[in-house]
Amino acid sequence: MKVCDVVLNSIWYDPRVRKQIAEYLANDINVSCVGLKCTRYDIDKVNQIPCCTDIVQIPAKLDGKQRGVIRKIRRELTKFRMVRDAIIKQCPDVIHANDLNALIPAYAAKKRLKCSLIYDSHEINVENYTSEGRSYIAGFMKAIEHYLVKHVDLMVCVSNAAADYFAETYKIKKPMVVTNCSLLRERCEVSSDNKKGFEVLNHGQFYEGRGYELMIEACDLLKDYPEIKLAVRGFGRLESSMRKQVSLKTNKDNFIFYPPVGVESLIPMASASSVGVAITMPICLNFKLSVSNKLFEYASAGLPVIMSDIPEHRFLNNKYRFGIILEETTPECFAKAVIKLYTDKEFYDCCRKNALKMTAALNWENEFASLINKEHEISSNE
């Protein structure tokens, strides 16, 4: 079986795609990858991708922001045509399209090649258009997705809540759930006795709705516990405002900004902390029904996790009991959860052990093996 993995963003920095490639290779499957040159393009990182890779670059005159509807449409059509042609050149038995933007050229390639098509939806893309001015885009993309999901051989998504959404919205068979968990072989735990102090970590891109502002507001609520440090690791558009907010806090010396690291280093670096933070504010339906990669990264680092109350977080914690679901996403509730984990060592140790048990049961090797078996089955029936 020959698989072509398609993604229209940075291949290296997409952890789900990176894990897909690793597992295809681990299972001796001939895999190639088609990507699109984007702002995060790094030739050194591309050269580290361990399979044949074709990075598509659209003409410079059509790249970047385009003024006018006609020019924008022309750019998108050119992009999709070039990606379609790159897929066709690989001549795969199975096309693995990651997200809706990759599904469009992948479907066109499938029609030409008469091969199998897997749609792997990392998120509910059409629910990301939150502003009223972009609602027409959401409607248009939803119509496209509604049509295309009827023509794929298998749809995959990242959470049970998202699978229920797709099944109900498009009146299709419930998609296969391949949870965004970490590779078991990347698990990296450090004994709590070897940790310095008690550090609560939130890593990832600094965007709204991910709990960073909440941590800053909770900082002074923890000033009576000098051993507790709050830490963030990453980058993003909120960084300057976050630093300014922290500078105004009485307890500011206990709030740490770490520089970003590569995705391959997230788990080892997190293992030096004591608690992970996976807060997703339900600012749109996609956020509400998704599940954070970081939740599984923390668990693989042996950390209990403080989580927001969204369906998949609650589902996982009810099953594995590896952390605390916030009753309300307020600074007071967050501080209360931190103090509980800090002061109740028995509870902390129980959560830590359960986090590691979860990674033993719910890991990428197990999850993706089920998908590979399904792809073999679908490919052999073509």
Side-chain angles (χ1 to χ4, degrees):
M1 182 174 71
K2 184 176 181 181
V3 176
C4 182
D5 221 338
V6 186
V7 57
L8 267 61
N9 58 23
S10 177
I11 298 171
W12 179 261
Y13 293 104
D14 189 316
R16 189 170 173 92
V17 175
R18 187 175 66 88
K19 291 182 293 186
Q20 288 169 10
I21 294 171
E23 277 309 285
Y24 280 132
L25 293 173
N27 285 272
D28 295 322
I29 291 173
N30 184 351
V31 60
S32 60
C33 197
V34 170
L36 184 70
K37 189 172 182 181
C38 59
T39 54
R40 298 186 72 188
Y41 176 78
D42 183 331
I43 185 61
D44 293 331
K45 294 297 186 186
V46 170
N47 288 338
Q48 292 180 50
I49 298 170
C51 69
C52 174
T53 304
D54 190 350
I55 306 296
V56 174
Q57 182 176 9
I58 64 175
K61 65 180 181 180
L62 292 175
D63 204 2
K65 291 184 178 180
Q66 300 288 309
R67 292 185 177 180
V69 175
I70 300 300
R71 289 183 64 85
K72 289 179 180 179
I73 293 174
R74 185 183 174 195
R75 177 192 61 196
E76 293 304 303
L77 291 176
T78 301
K79 177 176 69 178
F80 291 145
R81 186 186 70 249
M82 293 180 70
V83 172
R84 177 204 63 191
D85 292 346
I87 299 169
I88 291 172
K89 277 172 46 179
Q90 300 297 327
C91 200
D93 301 305
V94 176
I95 303 172
H96 189 131
N98 293 278
D99 279 326
L100 181 56
N101 56 357
L103 178 62
I104 297 170
Y107 171 67
K110 167 191 165 66
K111 290 181 67 178
R112 182 77 63 87
L113 295 169
K114 309 298 182 186
C115 64
S116 303
L117 175 59
I118 309 299
Y119 175 30
D120 190 341
S121 181
H122 300 193
E123 58 184 6
I124 303 175
N125 181 275
V126 298
E127 298 294 346
N128 272 336
Y129 302 95
T130 54
S131 62
E132 291 184 10
R134 303 182 72 193
S135 60
Y136 70 95
I137 301 177
F140 178 66
M141 296 304 291
K142 198 167 190 175
I144 291 176
E145 187 171 49
H146 194 174
Y147 174 78
L148 292 179
V149 294
K150 308 282 189 180
H151 295 83
V152 304
D153 296 282
L154 177 67
M155 183 174 180
V156 179
C157 64
V158 301
S159 73
N160 292 280
D164 290 337
Y165 164 87
F166 285 119
E168 182 177 344
T169 301
Y170 297 135
K171 309 304 179 189
I172 59 173
K173 180 182 176 181
K174 185 175 178 178
M176 181 178 184
V177 177
V178 177
T179 307
N180 242 342
C181 45
S182 301
L183 288 156
L184 181 60
R185 58 182 175 269
E186 290 185 349
R187 186 164 73 172
C188 178
E189 57 174 309
V190 173
S191 170
S192 56
D193 295 333
N194 296 328
K195 299 178 190 287
K196 294 181 180 179
F198 191 87
E199 185 175 272
V200 180
L201 173 70
N202 191 347
H203 69 214
Q205 296 187 53
F206 298 157
Y207 291 143
E208 295 85 354
R210 299 183 181 182
Y212 298 109
E213 302 99 324
L214 189 72
M215 290 177 68
I216 294 170
E217 290 304 311
C219 185
D220 281 350
L221 300 176
L222 298 167
K223 62 178 182 286
D224 293 334
Y225 300 88
E227 267 210 317
I228 296 177
K229 312 289 184 186
L230 300 182
V232 295
R233 175 179 289 118
F235 64 95
R237 60 173 174 259
L238 289 182
E239 183 170 355
S240 59
S241 64
M242 286 166 57
R243 288 183 179 274
K244 184 176 180 180
Q245 290 172 52
V246 170
S247 70
L248 301 175
K249 297 298 177 184
T250 304
N251 199 29
K252 62 186 177 184
D253 291 339
N254 279 11
F255 199 103
I256 305 166
F257 284 86
Y258 288 124
V261 296
V263 291
E264 69 280 9
S265 299
L266 284 173
I267 294 172
M269 296 296 284
S271 67
S273 300
S274 303
V275 176
V277 178
I279 292 177
T280 304
M281 304 292 285
I283 57 178
C284 64
L285 190 59
N286 178 50
F287 274 31
K288 182 178 179 180
L289 300 184
S290 64
V291 59
S292 305
N293 293 341
K294 65 178 73 177
L295 181 149
F296 299 106
E297 291 159 357
Y298 299 141
S300 290
L303 306 187
V305 185
I306 295 174
M307 296 159 277
S308 51
D309 190 1
I310 58 175
E312 202 69 10
H313 289 177
R314 184 163 288 281
F315 170 80
L316 290 168
N317 198 54
N318 284 345
K319 187 171 183 178
Y320 295 103
R321 301 293 180 185
F322 61 99
I324 295 176
I325 298 283
L326 295 178
E327 296 175 5
E328 297 178 333
T329 46
T330 63
E332 292 76 16
C333 281
F334 177 80
K336 180 181 176 183
V338 172
I339 294 168
K340 170 68 174 174
L341 288 165
Y342 175 64
T343 57
D344 191 337
K345 191 174 189 312
E346 184 178 350
F347 176 70
Y348 176 88
D349 287 340
C350 181
C351 289
R352 185 178 67 81
K353 290 175 183 176
N354 286 343
L356 293 170
K357 286 179 182 178
M358 180 174 76
T359 64
L362 195 60
N363 57 72
W364 187 258
E365 288 90 336
N366 288 344
E367 289 285 286
F368 204 65
S370 300
L371 177 58
I372 288 176
N373 290 338
K374 197 71 176 175
E375 288 179 342
H376 275 298
E377 179 186 325
I378 291 169
S379 177
S380 63
N381 290 334
E382 279 292 317

